[in-house]
Amino acid sequence: MSTTTTNTETAQLQVSAGTIRHALSDVVKQEDWSDFQFAPIRESTVSRAMTSRYFQDMDKFAVSDVVIVGAGSSGLSAAYVIAKNRPDLKVACVESNVAPGGGAWLGGQLFSAMIMRKPAHLFLDELELPYEDEGDYVVVKHAALFTSTVLSKVLLFPNFKLFNATAVEDLVTRPADDNTGGVSVAGVVTNWTLVSMAHDLQSCMDPNVIELSGYQNDGTRDPSKKHGVILSTTGHDGPFGAFSAKRIVSIDKNKKLGGMKGLDMNRAEAGVVKGAGAYSGVANMYFAGMEVAELEGCNRMGPTFGAMAVSGIKAAEEILRHFAE
Ligand code: AHZ
């Protein structure tokens, strides 16, 4: 025991063994746990329990109302608002990494705390997430607390499915309905991320697709149904970042990639929120988070996360309005 141990810590360590209570206290009767055993299981049962559910989900979400590309702070915030407000909409989130959460597992550099400028703290209040109030901004004690809280809430919604370790490789497109020569998105092309990364090493593995709702068997729009949407939140440029922004400028001939500008916290956060939402050049396409900075040429903000939550909420509101009309 360290010589700096306080009296309170010593008192806690000296708690009598008879008072120890934990989840298994009523099951384990022997002090050396010699009576402990798990319920029996077959190896094949474990495999079936996982694969049957995964493939049921793939089947259920093969046509989705909302496809969110990227499960970073902006994508997860948007997912929370959409899935919570419309339990009838199927929301699929495709995340190329094994770990969802994007860059928000840490605050900035390798520091723990997450800074959010007001009024983004209202989203933390909704999540019942504690913070230190510093006046114009608030501090969550660890960014991982924000990420894990949003994740835990969003994953509980039955209408939400996270397909992680899965990359969006391309967009499914159709001619726009208005016959003006424009394009609309009708789904995402997906592949296991490990396959996506190995296309050059292996022979090309054909991808899978999540289609947006509202189309008929011949690929034309079903006028009796609302069409689904894609919300892209793949972050700024990087190994996978700004995926849809880069793809969209090759689809929309009137648009050039803005390219993220240098760091300016005040301008950046306002710019990202302002630019978040429906993309006018390609129907059914929405953006939020740092991908907006790449698309529209906004500044970067560094480690202030208010605009990630708020741009996600703004895009979610527009998407909810689309489904409500
Ligand atoms: O893995 C990516 C990450 O989790 C994922 N992603 C990227 N391309 C993908 C693809 N298919 C599927 N093709 C893909 N998933 O998208 C997620 C993006 O999360 P992020 O945290 O990078 O983006 P964000 O916009 O939600 O948050 C950005 C946070 C930043 S960066 C920044 C700065 O550099 O100044 N400041 C802030 C607040």
Side-chain angles (χ1 to χ4, degrees):
M1 192 182 294
S2 139
T3 49
T4 56
T5 307
T6 63
N7 287 342
T8 324
E9 282 169 324
T10 312
Q12 279 168 355
L13 289 172
Q14 284 170 351
V15 72
S16 112
T19 63
I20 297 172
R21 289 291 303 169
H22 53 69
L24 295 170
S25 296
D26 293 336
V27 179
V28 182
K29 304 281 187 229
Q30 301 299 321
E31 206 175 294
D32 65 356
W33 287 54
S34 55
D35 60 334
F36 179 77
Q37 55 183 14
F38 281 106
I41 200 157
R42 291 179 65 177
E43 283 79 2
S44 56
T45 305
V46 176
S47 296
R48 285 190 177 128
M50 293 187 298
T51 54
S52 61
R53 283 167 178 78
Y54 197 85
F55 288 111
Q56 272 166 28
D57 281 341
M58 280 184 95
D59 186 67
K60 177 175 168 187
F61 288 89
V63 176
S64 292
D65 299 302
V66 182
V67 177
I68 299 178
V69 189
S73 46
S74 58
L76 289 173
S77 301
Y80 173 85
V81 175
I82 298 167
K84 184 180 176 195
N85 282 284
R86 286 293 299 264
D88 56 316
L89 296 180
K90 282 190 280 179
V91 183
C93 183
V94 184
E95 167 53 53
S96 55
N97 250 306
V98 171
W105 287 108
L106 286 161
Q109 197 169 313
L110 293 177
F111 305 129
S112 314
M114 174 183 267
I115 314 300
M116 279 208 186
R117 290 163 61 197
K118 289 182 178 177
H121 70 297
L122 297 174
F123 185 53
L124 303 179
D125 290 343
E126 182 174 350
L127 297 174
E128 296 178 340
L129 215 161
Y131 51 75
E132 284 175 71
D133 193 329
E134 296 285 359
D136 286 337
Y137 67 96
V138 301
V139 184
V140 179
K141 78 172 192 182
H142 202 298
L145 184 59
F146 170 80
T147 303
S148 58
T149 303
V150 192
L151 257 178
S152 67
K153 293 197 186 276
V154 94
L155 283 168
L156 282 172
F157 293 127
N159 57 330
F160 174 83
K161 172 68 186 177
L162 172 67
F163 292 102
N164 45 334
T166 307
V168 169
E169 288 191 339
D170 206 347
L171 305 171
V172 180
T173 60
R174 305 253 189 274
D177 299 324
D178 52 11
N179 293 324
T180 53
V183 173
S184 67
V185 285
V188 291
V189 178
T190 66
N191 222 325
W192 310 117
T193 302
L194 292 178
V195 173
S196 286
M197 291 167 79
H199 275 316
D200 295 340
L201 307 174
Q202 302 286 322
S203 57
C204 181
M205 304 281 176
D206 282 342
N208 207 347
V209 155
I210 299 178
E211 201 184 289
L212 297 182
S213 55
Y215 289 88
Q216 307 179 109
N217 285 348
D218 63 358
T220 58
R221 276 281 315 284
D222 180 344
S224 68
K225 292 194 180 124
K226 275 279 168 202
H227 62 75
V229 302
I230 296 174
L231 169 60
S232 194
T233 59
T234 68
H236 63 67
D237 206 1
F240 276 109
F243 168 80
S244 308
K246 289 180 208 155
R247 191 70 184 94
I248 222 80
V249 295
S250 64
I251 292 170
D252 177 5
K253 298 292 172 218
N254 300 317
K255 181 79 181 170
K256 280 198 172 64
L257 197 65
M260 186 177 70
K261 303 290 184 286
L263 195 149
D264 181 338
M265 287 187 182
N266 283 301
R267 281 194 176 77
E269 292 217 89
V272 163
V273 171
K274 207 170 153 207
Y279 176 72
S280 57
V282 173
N284 313 345
M285 191 75 215
Y286 293 70
F287 287 93
M290 284 310 282
E291 195 167 1
V292 172
E294 290 289 359
L295 189 66
E296 303 301 344
C298 313
N299 294 90
R300 75 190 305 180
M301 73 284 294
T304 50
F305 283 82
M308 298 304 102
V310 176
S311 66
I313 294 168
K314 184 186 175 208
E317 186 186 84
E318 284 189 23
I319 289 169
L320 289 168
R321 210 178 293 134
H322 157 75
F323 282 104
E325 277 162 6

